Amino acid sequence: MIDLVLKKSKERSLLRRHPWVYDTAVQKVVLDSKKTAPASGETVRVVSFDGRFLAWAAYSPESTIRARCWSFKEEEVIDASWFERKLRHAVEARACLRDRTSAVRLVFGEADGLPGLIVDQYADCLVTQFQSAGVEAHRELIADLLMEITGAKTIFDRSDAATRQREGLPIRSELLRGEEPPAAIEVVEDGVRYGVDVRVGHKTGFYVDQRESRLTAQKVAEEFRRVHGRGMRALNCFCYTGGFSLALLKGGAAEVVSVDSSQEALDMAAANARRNGFEGDCAKFVCKDVFTYLRELRDAGEKFDLVILDPPKFASNHRHVERAARAYKDINLNGLKLLLPGGQLFTFSCSGAVDVDLFQKIVAGAVFDAKVDAWAVGRFGGGIDHPLLMTYPEGEYLKGLHLLVRP
């Protein structure tokens, strides 16, 4: 067994069951007689400066996160049976979503005790992301177990995120098990049908994490029609393949303007609208830079009952937070200026480096500069298939606010 010995006092985070060990916390690696160095992804025993057991972890020689913890129980053995138990528990925990949707996150990395592993299910297709050296080392075993546990026909591997490069792993996007997936896999979520392209779409092809927010949008549109006797006019910015747009139209919105800089994404959004029978003037699609388009709408005096701002990640790490804050402030300020009195704003950040408190301060600054009074009447985050492990706050990457502009 290989021991990863930590520097004095560096065991505190592991004693609180945080699953990461940074390279700066490592004092030395103690090898057995047959080893010259631990292999990438190999399981090591993490011990304190004075030799106390702390965790079993996967070693990553090229990452600043030098080890990611599998278990804090010394008696556990990290073998095939252990991986099977972890995967079965993760899949079973999502069973409550089956009546609502065929798009579910089955495994959410550290939250499920499998650091770096993402598994999303779209109907009978699984999409994987192996984002760390530990799960990469067990890739074939995990693939076999997923096929057995879920009965899926296909596993397509989208291990193409930048995190793999930081782990010293090659980018990969390929069929891992089963048959080739179709160009568009149809999933149903809360009565709305969506087409998902798992090969080239963002993340694993769809924003599974916004399920609860989309349902809220649908309910807001329904309530607006009930109260006002008309369907709302909404603007969906960074719309991607139209998730929020379709939810609003399902709820009875009269007009939804969907904006994205990608014509390919808009083509899929329009196809999704047709898939649900939403055509004509109720669904409009605009291919433009959102920052520019918001200013154009503002200068033209356009007004909406609801504006949704769901941008891509503006800050990939803490070095980009200041620049990201300016971008979030910009879109929220102009989004607020487009709202009618009594209008509503859904605003989001998926930048893990921008925490909940900072995001709220940015949006509050936009409210002040827009010279409006606004209530925060709700908060958004990932659903039950994106649980927050309480000892791993970094897992809370998605956050959002539901604002109501006071008349």
Side-chain angles (χ1 to χ4, degrees):
M1 181 54 61
I2 297 172
D3 282 357
L4 196 67
V5 183
L6 303 190
K7 296 176 182 176
K8 192 172 184 179
S9 300
K10 292 297 184 179
E11 74 276 10
R12 293 172 183 171
S13 64
L14 268 71
L15 291 173
R16 298 188 186 98
R17 298 202 172 195
H18 190 283
W20 290 354
V21 177
Y22 284 97
D23 56 351
T24 54
V26 177
Q27 176 72 29
K28 61 182 177 179
V29 179
V30 179
L31 304 170
D32 63 27
S33 58
K34 300 178 182 179
K35 282 280 188 179
T36 56
S40 177
E42 185 171 355
T43 297
V44 298
R45 188 174 71 151
V46 184
V47 298
S48 65
F49 182 78
D50 56 4
R52 287 174 294 153
F53 173 84
L54 297 170
W56 299 111
Y59 187 74
S60 182
E62 297 191 36
S63 174
T64 56
I65 304 174
R66 191 50 47 90
R68 298 175 191 254
C69 297
W70 296 126
S71 172
F72 297 95
K73 298 176 182 178
E74 189 170 7
E75 68 274 14
E76 287 204 298
V77 178
I78 312 304
D79 58 8
S81 296
W82 183 90
F83 277 98
E84 182 177 3
R85 288 195 303 274
K86 285 290 183 181
L87 290 170
R88 287 193 183 278
H89 289 163
V91 172
E92 289 167 5
R94 277 73 173 179
C96 58
L97 292 169
R98 297 299 181 187
D99 291 339
R100 286 181 55 192
T101 181
S102 53
V104 177
R105 174 147 295 180
L106 296 182
V107 182
F108 187 39
E110 281 78 353
D112 286 299
L114 293 162
L117 178 64
I118 299 296
V119 183
D120 287 341
Q121 182 168 16
Y122 301 114
D124 54 9
C125 174
L126 304 184
V127 185
T128 54
Q129 290 183 324
F130 295 86
Q131 298 177 341
S132 68
V135 290
E136 174 70 14
H138 299 277
R139 179 175 182 255
E140 298 302 318
L141 169 64
I142 289 170
D144 289 341
L145 289 171
L146 286 170
M147 291 291 280
E148 177 188 338
I149 293 167
T150 67
K153 292 182 179 179
T154 300
I155 301 179
F156 196 84
D157 189 15
R158 286 289 304 277
S159 295
D160 52 5
T163 49
R164 280 182 65 87
Q165 294 175 311
R166 294 194 289 271
E167 292 280 312
L169 302 173
I171 296 298
R172 182 185 286 120
S173 181
E174 63 188 20
L175 183 68
L176 182 54
R177 289 289 187 279
E179 58 194 51
E180 286 285 346
I185 299 168
E186 182 170 289
V187 299
V188 180
E189 175 189 281
D190 295 319
V192 183
R193 295 188 296 165
Y194 300 91
V196 179
D197 185 347
V198 300
R199 288 185 180 86
V200 298
H202 294 179
K203 295 190 175 182
T204 61
F206 188 62
Y207 292 131
V208 185
D209 53 5
Q210 287 286 27
R211 181 190 309 107
E212 303 307 320
S213 305
R214 285 189 289 267
L215 181 59
T216 300
Q218 185 175 327
K219 291 180 176 178
V220 162
E222 291 170 353
E223 179 66 8
F224 187 95
R225 179 174 282 277
R226 186 189 69 79
V227 171
H228 297 278
R230 66 175 179 87
M232 63 165 37
R233 187 181 191 224
L235 175 68
N236 181 16
C237 298
F238 309 98
C239 70
Y240 187 42
T241 58
F244 278 108
S245 303
L246 299 182
L248 289 168
L249 291 167
K250 177 70 173 178
E255 179 188 355
V256 181
V257 180
S258 305
V259 191
D260 202 281
S261 60
S262 167
Q263 186 60 56
E264 185 177 7
L266 288 171
D267 290 343
M268 178 69 90
N272 281 335
R274 292 191 296 272
R275 193 185 301 269
N276 289 273
F278 303 134
E279 298 183 68
D281 292 340
C282 68
K284 297 180 179 178
F285 301 95
V286 179
C287 186
K288 274 200 174 183
D289 172 74
V290 170
F291 290 86
T292 301
Y293 191 60
L294 285 172
R295 287 181 170 79
E296 291 177 359
L297 291 172
R298 179 199 65 194
D299 294 344
E302 294 280 0
K303 294 292 181 182
F304 296 87
D305 300 299
L306 172 68
V307 172
I308 296 178
L309 303 170
D310 185 21
K313 186 187 296 185
F314 285 163
S316 56
N317 56 55
H318 287 88
R319 294 191 299 274
H320 301 149
V321 167
E322 185 176 346
R323 182 181 65 190
R326 290 194 297 269
Y328 286 123
K329 174 73 172 294
D330 190 329
I331 60 173
N332 279 280
L333 173 59
N334 286 308
L336 286 162
K337 288 181 176 181
L338 295 176
L339 288 173
L340 290 161
Q344 301 177 65
L345 178 74
F346 284 19
T347 181
F348 300 91
S349 166
C350 63
S351 300
V354 176
D355 64 23
V356 174
D357 289 342
L358 176 56
F359 184 62
Q360 181 167 321
K361 289 176 182 176
I362 294 168
V363 176
V367 168
F368 177 80
D369 287 353
K371 297 180 173 59
V372 297
D373 289 324
W375 286 349
V377 295
R379 295 181 182 274
F380 299 113
I384 193 172
D385 53 346
H386 290 72
L388 174 64
L389 181 65
M390 295 303 292
T391 57
Y392 175 63
E394 294 89 343
E396 190 176 20
Y397 68 95
L398 177 66
K399 73 285 298 182
L401 290 168
H402 178 186
L403 300 189
L404 174 66
V405 174
R406 301 295 294 154

